């Protein structure tokens, strides 16, 4: 179905969070933490806007809106609204509304709360632009903007070294992956000639049929795997828990960590259902699921436990997306929805416990259910959904998941089902630990007197956890409005689904039996949680090395390599810098011609008059005088001979104004350089050895030859007179000047001329500083030290 054009309201909805980011600090200054209430109206209105798309999208309709951004490069600010983007937009804006409210209560009294609100809105806007992006280049821009804004949020408490490290780590991993993704997008554009995602989806086989499929597949996976923390790039996500809890809740439930999953789902019609796709994604997704759940069991910090289960959940989503099976994809959509709800609620519960009790270590918590009854209720409801128990949306997702993996019996069915079973059992353990450990058992003394938080803190967890129950109770409607249209985006064709709280399609009740096994295994492991945690910790201690430590080693290696290269290239000698600069200039102008064998032919020399040959001879003699000069001062004066010869050439060929300028420049250059030479402590003559002089001479000759050949090649091309005609036509009528050269310098290129003047002024100031340098006189009774040695002017080499 061809997407229908809509007005620009959706574009404004994407930009609305950026406007809110601009006003958030001012509202916070006026209303303090209560600014969260008016600020939350922005994402709430965005949510309501996309609610209007639910009904048409559920019928299989799609929409686009676009405005030109950089038309010369085919970059438009455009959106594509279908089932997948609508679901993500609803999650981002809906959960974002409660995150804004939660941040108001969580950071109450913080001096930088306004700045925090701004960062949250920037992050929200970047995610909306990403999931709604239609143009590949604008999608990439929003993709990288999520990395930048997450860097600001994770490093919000920038005075702590751990926060700074986590922020840098997230930026390096996700930003680097973004550059890989950009390469993938550019290859897609090159292979297909299409810039819009909607155009690509209209021809889903265009990439698969190209010879660049494997390259595109690898590059897209590089961006998606780093963003969604797939093994071995999973380490940055738990470290991001250094961010304040509102960031963690938003990051894990509906935003950046799911951006990679979104990309894989979006690209499934274009890249999916191939041997490469059906092999790589299930393997890495399954590994990430197991690694995430195992590492989650080891933790005692509530946020870290939840963070590692997010890693596991992302692995599960990638694994399901990699099967390309209809039921598995349906399970991926259901689990995406379920995870967003229960994980957002549980993170806010963990933050509320930390905020009101003073700790989030489950070994130091207990008996909080009477002190925090509303938080306890929200935690139980969300944990039940996370554990996959009825009658919650998490249970339905797990049932469909097992049906999808068990039914995919093409070699991968049994391994994937066992992987999902073990992962879900460990997920059950973490859900039970989060819901039971802090709230049940004898009351434990905590650093703060535990009590229920304000409405700003418990509104989000309660609503999200209740939604996990409500959507399951109306499972058929949930399937029709959210799952079916999203599944259509993944498969490329609209498919009717029949979703029920108690699935009716299970052949032999296999999925139900697997769920019972999962619950039984989870209960058994939960009863041995302490022993299991100690065992895993011992194994990891024995292994020692991990990707997180590898990242530090990688950064240290980059720093060491940079230091080595700096020491090799930045020697402190001007001669080295000049030789390297001219060497690479010569290579840049000569190497392309050599590789392509496209050097210009020698032009036929015109008939010169005798005095014209005389001027050329003067220039050659000046060059010879420079080469044989015994002193630097003689070389500078001899160099001026060539400049005056060029001025004479300008004069006799009809450019007296340029000749006058050249005369002035050469005269001033010689005078100023001569003055500087007399004031600096320099060698009076060239003291280089013969081999050094020959090597630098070869570099100089290469540069001269390269520039000469370049000019010859340019002059042999057909002359394009459009610019000359423009200046000739408009110099008088627009700039009111008869001298075309002067008009170009002071009018058409006035800013450029101003910049050149600024450069000359700065150069003059630098010369003045050099002239004013003096060698500090040494006192008779004062021994020379390092500082005195450094204050002496260095000798030129």
């Amino acid at each position: 179905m061809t997407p229908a054009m809509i007005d620009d309201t959706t574009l404004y909805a994407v930009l609305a969070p950026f406007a809110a980011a601009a006003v958030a600090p001012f509202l916070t200054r006026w209303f303090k933490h209560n600014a969260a209430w008016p600020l939350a109206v922005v994402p709430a209105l965005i949510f309501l806007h996309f609610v209007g798309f639910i009904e048409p999208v559920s019928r299989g309709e799609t929409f686009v809106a676009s405005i030109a951004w950089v038309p010369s490069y085919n970059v438009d600010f455009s959106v594509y609204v279908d089932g997948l983007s609508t679901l993500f937009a609803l999650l981002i804006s809906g959960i974002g509304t409660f995150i804004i409210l939660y941040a108001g209560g969580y950071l109450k009294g913080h001096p930088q709360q306004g700045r925090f609100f701004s960062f949250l809105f920037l992050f929200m806007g970047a995610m909306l632009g990403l999931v709604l992006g239609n143009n590949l280049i604008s999608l990439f821009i929003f993709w990288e903007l999520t990395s930048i804004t997450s860097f600001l949020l994770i490093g919000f408490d920038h005075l702590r070294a751990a926060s700074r490290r986590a922020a840098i780590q997230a930026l390096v991993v996700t930003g680097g992956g973004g550059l890989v993704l950009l390469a993938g997008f550019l290859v897609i554009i090159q292979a297909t000639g299409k810039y819009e995602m909607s155009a690509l989806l209209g021809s889903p086989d265009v990439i698969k049929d190209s010879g660049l499929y494997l390259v595109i597949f690898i590059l897209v996976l590089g961006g998606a795997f780093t963003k969604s923390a797939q093994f071995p790039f999973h380490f940055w996500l738990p470290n991001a828990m250094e961010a304040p809890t509102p960031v963690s809740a938003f990051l894990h439930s509906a935003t950046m960590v799911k951006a990679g999953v979104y990309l894989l789902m979006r690209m499934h019609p274009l890249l999916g259902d191939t041997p490469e796709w059906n092999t790589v994604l299930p393997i890495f997704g399954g590994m990430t699921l197991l690694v995430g759940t195992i590492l989650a069991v080891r933790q005692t910090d509530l946020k870290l436990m939840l963070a590692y289960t997010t890693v596991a959940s992302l692995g599960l989503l990638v694994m399901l997306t990699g099967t390309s099976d209809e039921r598995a994809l349906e399970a991926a959509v259901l689990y995406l929805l379920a995870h967003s709800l229960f994980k957002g609620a549980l993170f806010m519960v963990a933050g509320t416990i930390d905020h009101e009790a003073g700790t989030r270590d489950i070994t130091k918590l207990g008996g909080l259910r009477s002190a925090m009854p509303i938080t306890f209720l929200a935690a139980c409801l969300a944990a039940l959904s996370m554990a996959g128990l009825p009658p919650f949306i998490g249970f339905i997702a797990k049932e469909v998941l097992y049906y999808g993996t068990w039914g995919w019996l093409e070699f991968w069915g049994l391994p994937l089902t066992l992987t999902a079973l073990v992962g879900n059992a460990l997920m059950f353990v973490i859900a039970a630990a989060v819901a039971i450990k802090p709230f049940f058992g004898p009351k434990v003394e905590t650093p703060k007197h535990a009590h229920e938080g304000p409405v700003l803190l418990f509104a989000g967890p309660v609503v999200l956890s209740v939604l996990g129950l409500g959507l399951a109770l109306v499972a058929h409607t949930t399937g029709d409005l959210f799952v079916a249209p999203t599944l259509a985006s993944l498969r490329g064709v609209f498919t009717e689904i029949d979703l029920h709280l108690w699935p009716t399609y299970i052949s032999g009740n296999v999925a139900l039996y697997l769920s019972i096994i999962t619950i039984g295994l989870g209960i058994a492991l939960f009863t041995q949680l302490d022993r299991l945690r100690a065992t895993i910790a011992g194994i990891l201690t024995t292994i020692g090395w991990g990707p997180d430590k590898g990242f530090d080693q990688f950064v240290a290696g980059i720093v060491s390599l940079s230091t080595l290269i700096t020491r090799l290239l930045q020697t402190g000698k001007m001669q080295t810098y000049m030789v390297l600069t001219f060497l690479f200039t010569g290579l840049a102008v000569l190497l392309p011609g050599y590789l392509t064998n496209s050097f210009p032919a020698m032009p036929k020399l015109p008939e010169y008059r005798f005095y014209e040959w005389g001027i050329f001879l003067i220039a050659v003699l000046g060059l010879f005088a420079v080469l044989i000069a015994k002193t630097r001062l003689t070389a500078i004066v001899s160099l001026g001979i060539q400049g005056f010869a060029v001025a004479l050439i300008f004069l006799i060929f009809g450019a007296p104004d340029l000749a006058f300028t050249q005369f002035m420049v050469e005269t001033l250059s010689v005078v100023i350089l001569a003055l500087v030479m007399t004031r600096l402590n320099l060698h009076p003559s060239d003291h280089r050895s013969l081999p050094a002089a020959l090597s630098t001479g070869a570099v100089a000759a290469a540069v001269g030859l390269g520039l000469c050949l370049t000019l010859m090649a340019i002059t042999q091309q057909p002359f394009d007179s459009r610019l000359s005609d423009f200046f000739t036509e408009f110099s008088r009528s627009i700039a009111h000047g008869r001298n075309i050269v002067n008009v170009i310098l002071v009018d058409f290129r006035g800013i450029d001329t101003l910049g050149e003047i600024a450069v000359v002024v700065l150069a003059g100031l630098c010369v003045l500083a050099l002239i004013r340098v003096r060698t500090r006189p040494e006192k008779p009774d004062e021994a020379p030290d390092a500082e005195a040695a450094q204050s002496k002017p260095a000798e030129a080499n």
Side-chain angles (χ1 to χ4, degrees):
M1 181 179 294
T2 303
M5 291 295 299
I6 54 177
D7 60 28
D8 296 340
T9 307
T10 304
L11 298 174
Y12 300 145
V14 174
L15 298 177
F18 296 101
V23 302
F26 301 101
L27 289 179
T28 307
R29 182 180 301 175
W30 298 330
F31 301 111
K32 307 302 179 185
H33 68 282
N34 288 316
W37 294 105
L39 288 173
V41 172
V42 176
L45 291 176
I46 297 173
F47 178 82
L48 292 176
H49 173 75
F50 285 103
V51 166
F53 284 104
I54 293 177
E55 196 273 334
V57 165
S58 67
R59 298 195 305 265
E61 297 181 30
T62 58
F63 306 92
V64 293
S66 177
I67 58 175
W69 190 0
V70 190
S72 57
Y73 288 95
N74 293 317
V75 178
D76 297 331
F77 176 40
S78 58
V79 297
Y80 177 59
V81 181
D82 66 344
L84 181 62
S85 58
T86 300
L87 177 62
F88 267 92
L90 289 170
L91 291 173
I92 293 167
S93 56
I95 296 177
T97 300
F98 294 104
I99 294 297
I100 295 298
L101 294 175
Y102 187 83
Y106 191 85
L107 273 75
K108 179 181 178 180
H110 196 288
Q112 298 296 327
Q113 190 176 33
R115 180 165 63 95
F116 186 77
F117 278 133
S118 288
F119 291 167
L120 273 179
F121 276 115
L122 291 174
F123 189 47
M124 185 187 302
M127 274 305 303
L128 284 173
L130 191 160
V131 300
L132 292 164
N134 190 26
N135 184 274
L136 293 180
I137 303 302
S138 63
L139 190 155
F140 162 75
I141 292 172
F142 284 112
W143 180 282
E144 290 293 69
L145 189 56
T146 61
S147 297
I148 296 171
T149 51
S150 68
F151 168 80
L152 297 174
L153 287 167
I154 296 170
F156 178 73
D157 189 6
H158 57 274
L159 297 179
R160 296 174 54 246
S163 295
R164 297 195 299 271
R165 177 184 181 271
I168 292 173
Q169 188 179 72
L171 181 64
V172 170
V173 175
T174 62
L179 296 178
V180 174
L181 179 63
L182 173 62
F185 283 169
L186 294 178
V187 176
I188 290 175
I189 293 171
Q190 178 67 28
T192 66
K194 302 179 187 296
Y195 285 78
E196 305 295 322
M197 189 67 73
S198 57
L200 290 169
L201 295 173
S203 305
D205 295 328
V206 65
I207 296 178
K208 296 177 187 177
D209 294 339
S210 72
L212 296 172
Y213 170 82
L214 185 59
V215 175
I216 295 171
F217 173 73
I218 293 173
L219 294 175
V220 169
L221 253 60
F225 278 15
T226 52
K227 204 74 159 185
S228 284
Q230 296 301 289
F231 182 86
F233 304 108
H234 64 282
F235 55 88
W236 74 265
L237 184 53
N239 290 335
M241 292 304 97
E242 295 296 336
T245 300
V247 178
S248 304
F250 204 23
L251 193 76
H252 287 252
S253 60
T255 52
M256 191 176 79
V257 298
K258 285 194 173 74
V261 172
Y262 165 81
L263 180 67
L264 293 176
M265 289 182 170
R266 174 60 76 203
M267 301 294 288
H268 182 270
L270 304 173
L271 301 176
D273 204 13
T274 64
E276 296 86 353
W277 182 278
N278 298 147
T279 302
V280 175
L281 267 68
I283 290 176
F284 279 90
M287 290 175 60
T288 306
L289 170 61
L290 296 177
V291 168
T293 50
I294 291 171
L295 293 178
V297 172
R298 180 197 182 190
Q299 309 302 322
T300 59
D301 184 302
L302 284 172
K303 283 180 65 175
L304 281 176
M305 294 168 69
L306 294 172
Y308 277 109
T309 57
T310 297
V311 172
S313 297
L314 295 171
L316 179 59
L317 289 170
V318 170
M319 183 180 78
L320 294 172
T321 305
T323 65
S324 299
D325 178 78
E326 179 183 341
R327 286 297 182 189
L329 292 176
E330 180 184 340
V333 175
L334 271 168
Y335 191 78
L336 170 72
L337 177 60
H339 178 267
S340 297
L341 297 176
F342 70 67
K343 191 55 66 71
L346 288 176
F347 261 110
M348 286 188 269
V349 165
T352 302
I353 293 174
D354 187 23
H355 192 271
E356 304 302 335
T359 181
R360 55 176 187 259
D361 189 332
I362 61 172
T363 63
K364 300 176 182 179
L365 292 168
L368 293 178
R369 66 183 183 279
S370 58
M372 307 176 69
I374 300 177
T375 302
F376 166 63
L377 175 64
C380 287
L381 294 177
L384 288 171
S385 184
M386 179 177 174
L389 296 176
F392 291 88
I393 190 71
F395 168 74
I396 303 176
K398 180 164 57 63
E399 295 297 301
V400 180
L401 183 159
Y402 283 141
Y403 184 76
T405 56
W406 183 260
W408 198 47
L409 293 177
E410 299 176 3
F411 176 76
W412 288 108
L414 183 60
L416 291 187
T417 301
L418 292 176
T419 300
L421 192 148
V422 173
N424 283 329
L426 293 175
M427 207 89 73
F428 181 99
V429 173
I430 300 302
V434 171
I436 294 174
K437 293 288 186 180
F439 297 102
F440 288 91
K443 185 174 177 58
V444 178
E445 290 298 324
T446 54
K448 293 182 181 180
H449 175 66
H451 58 86
E452 189 60 78
V455 65
L456 287 171
L457 292 183
F458 65 69
V462 169
V463 172
L464 295 181
S465 59
V466 170
L467 275 175
L469 173 62
L471 290 176
L473 296 178
V474 291
H476 185 75
T477 302
T478 301
D480 289 343
L481 296 182
F482 301 109
V483 181
T486 307
L487 182 61
S489 300
L490 271 67
R491 300 187 65 238
V493 293
F494 195 83
T495 306
E496 295 285 345
I497 65 170
D498 189 19
L499 202 63
H500 298 276
L501 178 58
W502 295 101
T504 59
Y505 50 75
I506 302 176
S507 176
N509 288 327
V510 173
L512 183 59
Y513 297 148
L514 290 173
S515 290
I516 295 173
I517 294 173
T518 300
I519 295 170
L521 181 59
I523 294 174
L525 292 174
F526 177 73
T527 60
Q528 303 296 319
L529 178 58
D530 293 337
R531 182 179 299 177
L532 185 62
R533 182 186 299 123
T535 301
I536 295 174
I539 294 174
L540 294 175
T541 302
T542 302
I543 295 175
W545 188 90
D548 187 50
K549 186 176 181 180
F551 174 82
D552 291 335
Q553 294 170 340
F554 170 77
V555 172
I558 291 295
V559 172
S560 299
L561 179 62
S562 302
T563 303
L564 177 62
I565 293 175
T566 301
R567 288 176 178 172
L568 290 175
L569 299 181
Q570 303 292 330
T571 61
K573 297 181 179 180
M574 180 63 73
Q575 176 183 329
T576 303
Y577 302 154
M578 294 184 66
V579 169
L580 289 175
T581 300
F582 284 109
L583 174 62
F584 285 102
T585 301
L587 291 174
V589 295
L590 285 176
L591 199 56
Y594 174 77
L595 295 176
T596 60
N597 194 24
S598 57
F599 289 116
M602 180 61 68
K604 181 180 179 181
L605 293 178
E607 296 290 335
Y608 291 117
R609 299 179 177 86
F610 73 93
Y611 57 85
E612 293 171 344
W613 283 109
I615 296 174
F616 294 144
L617 179 61
I618 292 174
V620 172
L621 291 176
L623 174 62
F624 184 72
V626 172
L627 295 177
I628 65 172
K630 299 297 184 181
T631 65
R632 296 179 186 273
L633 188 59
T634 305
I636 290 172
V637 175
S638 301
L639 192 61
I641 297 175
Q642 292 178 301
F644 283 109
V646 172
L648 289 174
I649 293 174
F650 288 154
L651 185 62
I652 64 175
F653 282 98
D657 48 354
L658 292 180
F660 177 75
T661 303
Q662 183 73 13
F663 279 126
M664 295 297 296
V665 169
E666 287 300 324
T667 302
L668 290 174
S669 299
V670 172
V671 172
I672 292 174
L673 288 174
L675 287 174
V676 173
M677 288 289 296
T678 61
R679 304 300 295 271
L680 294 180
N681 183 18
L682 302 173
H683 284 290
S685 62
D686 189 353
H687 63 285
R688 292 174 296 177
S689 62
L690 180 60
L694 291 176
S695 62
T696 53
V699 171
V703 173
L705 177 62
L707 293 177
C708 178
L709 292 174
T710 301
L711 290 174
M712 288 169 57
I714 293 173
T715 56
Q716 291 177 15
Q717 299 299 317
F719 179 67
D720 187 348
S721 64
R722 287 178 296 172
L723 193 58
S724 301
D725 295 339
F726 172 84
F727 290 136
T728 303
E729 181 179 357
F730 295 108
S731 291
R732 176 62 176 166
S733 60
I734 295 179
H736 308 290
R738 298 181 183 277
N739 189 312
I740 297 177
V741 175
N742 290 348
V743 168
I744 292 173
L745 292 176
V746 301
D747 198 302
F748 291 115
R749 293 180 54 198
I751 300 298
D752 183 55
T753 303
L754 181 62
E756 294 173 353
I757 294 172
V759 170
V760 172
V761 171
L762 289 175
L765 293 175
C766 293
V767 170
L768 179 61
L770 289 173
I771 292 176
R772 293 176 63 86
V773 170
R774 293 288 188 273
T775 302
R776 191 180 69 166
E778 184 180 322
K779 297 180 181 179
D781 57 345
E782 182 181 30
D785 55 12
E787 181 179 353
Q790 291 178 2
S791 67
K792 295 179 181 179
E795 293 184 347
N797 293 288

